[in-house]
Amino acid sequence: MKKILFLLCLAAVALTAAEKKVLTIGNSFTWSLKADLPAIAKAQGDKLTLVFANHGGCTIQRHWNYAKEEESKPEVKRYKYKGKPAKLRDILAAEKWDIVTIQQASPKSWVKGSFYPELDELVAYVKKHAPDAEIVFQQTWAYRNDDPRLKKWGGQKAMYEGICNNYKEASAKFGFRVIPSGLAVELARAAQPVKFVPVEKSVVEEAKKSPKTAIAQPGSLFVGWGWRKNRKTGKIELRRDSIHLNNRGQYLQSCVWYGFIFKKSPLEIKYQGRNLEADDAAMLRECADKALKEYK
């Protein structure tokens, strides 16, 4: 009897578990899924194949240029698949992808008209080499409010509104769904009890006097200030990263993607993230769930 009950339980798990294959044609704004999204799927009993056809800072234009170059030059392979150099077309044909995602690089994501005409070409290319895949856009996010570029761009709100307009336009044009990562970040900014406040310049200057001194940044969803290697000089310096998500932001983004891919509520997620307080993780899951419900 016990054996029968055990087998029935296994059968029930198998019926509720889902399997999805996802390919991203993106940049660092999808590499940020690497740690938490597979962990969430595993904890939920679902199977996820997540492959990145990414280049750091890569625009839609550069991805399309790479694809054209690969087509014209047999020896050129701009991407990697399973640790080996590969052409984008071969990666697209390698698996029966459920979803292929596309996004614009963040500095251009808010700029009107910055997606075209290369997005048309890239979409057609994906359809040609992965005809059964659903093409989806990831709506990216506005930078942290201490990024100096925001002053030139009209502020954080202007950047976010530009992002919203561009992805809504692209979604309407192609009839594709959108993963609302950017909306989730905005909701979390508003919902969290502690709001991020830019670090005073005097605090940064004082921290520079003591190498490896950490700067507190409560309420941040972004990496922010930290000691990192300068790629040009090789020196360890106190630098600000106001565009890439930290462990809180990455968990939020991964909750949104999990809910979108598997069509399940992020509120059901058991995995608590990396070094997150239980209450904070719960708040981030709520924001992910709300973003999926509210995005239009």
Side-chain angles (χ1 to χ4, degrees):
M1 185 66 181
K2 288 183 178 179
K3 186 176 181 180
I4 293 173
L5 288 172
F6 176 71
L7 291 173
L8 287 171
C9 287
L10 286 179
V13 170
L15 285 172
T16 56
E19 181 175 355
K20 296 291 182 181
K21 295 184 178 183
V22 178
L23 172 67
T24 73
I25 301 175
N27 44 54
S28 59
F29 279 27
T30 42
W31 267 326
S32 48
L33 298 162
K34 195 172 183 179
D36 292 321
L37 182 53
I40 290 171
K42 184 178 180 181
Q44 297 303 113
D46 296 313
K47 185 175 180 181
L48 173 67
T49 299
L50 180 62
V51 174
F52 302 103
N54 291 351
H55 286 282
C58 202
T59 60
I60 290 169
Q61 287 73 20
R62 181 145 60 100
H63 276 300
W64 175 235
N65 288 335
Y66 283 164
K68 287 194 296 182
E69 183 186 22
E70 289 179 338
E71 291 294 335
S72 63
K73 299 177 181 179
E75 74 280 5
V76 173
K77 297 179 179 180
R78 287 288 190 177
Y79 298 83
K80 284 189 176 182
Y81 180 63
K82 295 185 176 180
K84 296 180 180 180
K87 293 179 181 289
L88 181 58
R89 71 179 185 197
D90 294 332
I91 301 173
L92 286 165
E95 304 272 357
K96 190 173 181 180
W97 303 107
D98 294 289
I99 291 174
V100 175
T101 71
I102 298 173
Q103 67 202 44
Q104 180 58 294
S106 61
K108 287 191 171 186
S109 61
W110 67 281
V111 180
K112 185 175 176 59
S114 68
F115 289 30
Y116 309 101
E118 290 82 4
L119 180 58
D120 302 86
E121 303 287 357
L122 189 58
V123 165
Y125 193 78
V126 173
K127 286 183 175 180
K128 179 180 178 180
H129 295 288
D132 296 325
E134 178 188 8
I135 303 174
V136 168
F137 297 130
Q138 177 188 211
Q139 177 208 38
T140 53
W141 47 85
Y143 296 168
R144 198 170 78 170
N145 59 5
D146 61 345
D147 191 286
R149 287 166 289 190
L150 292 175
K151 291 181 180 180
K152 301 176 183 177
W153 297 349
Q156 188 184 72
K157 183 179 179 181
M159 184 181 184
Y160 179 63
E161 288 177 350
I163 290 169
C164 289
N165 292 336
N166 284 341
Y167 282 101
K168 285 178 181 177
E169 180 185 35
S171 175
K173 178 176 182 177
F174 294 101
F176 296 163
R177 294 191 297 155
V178 176
I179 304 174
S181 302
L183 174 58
V185 169
E186 291 300 308
L187 291 172
R189 281 172 168 148
Q192 60 186 1
V194 178
K195 316 297 186 200
F196 172 75
V197 177
V199 178
E200 294 287 343
K201 186 176 180 180
S202 58
V203 175
V204 176
E205 293 303 318
E206 187 65 27
K208 287 180 180 178
K209 298 176 183 178
S210 305
K212 301 300 175 71
T213 299
I215 296 178
Q217 299 165 90
S220 180
L221 293 161
F222 296 79
V223 174
W225 289 102
W227 292 90
R228 287 180 283 276
K229 183 181 287 187
N230 185 318
R231 293 181 181 178
K232 294 181 180 179
T233 65
K235 294 181 180 180
I236 302 297
E237 299 174 353
L238 183 60
R239 301 169 66 85
R240 175 176 52 200
D241 181 346
S242 50
I243 74 172
H244 293 106
L245 301 174
N246 60 15
N247 62 322
R248 297 181 69 230
Q250 289 178 13
Y251 180 70
L252 171 65
Q253 181 193 17
S254 294
C255 288
V256 174
W257 275 61
Y258 174 80
F260 185 95
I261 292 166
F262 291 98
K263 297 180 180 179
K264 297 179 181 180
S265 171
L267 299 178
E268 300 173 8
I269 292 172
K270 302 169 186 174
Y271 172 74
Q272 295 288 318
R274 292 162 290 135
N275 303 315
L276 299 183
E277 297 291 337
D279 289 349
D280 193 34
M283 182 275 293
L284 295 170
R285 290 194 297 272
E286 288 171 6
C287 291
D289 184 69
K290 189 175 182 181
L292 290 169
K293 289 176 179 175
E294 290 188 359
Y295 186 84
K296 297 180 181 179

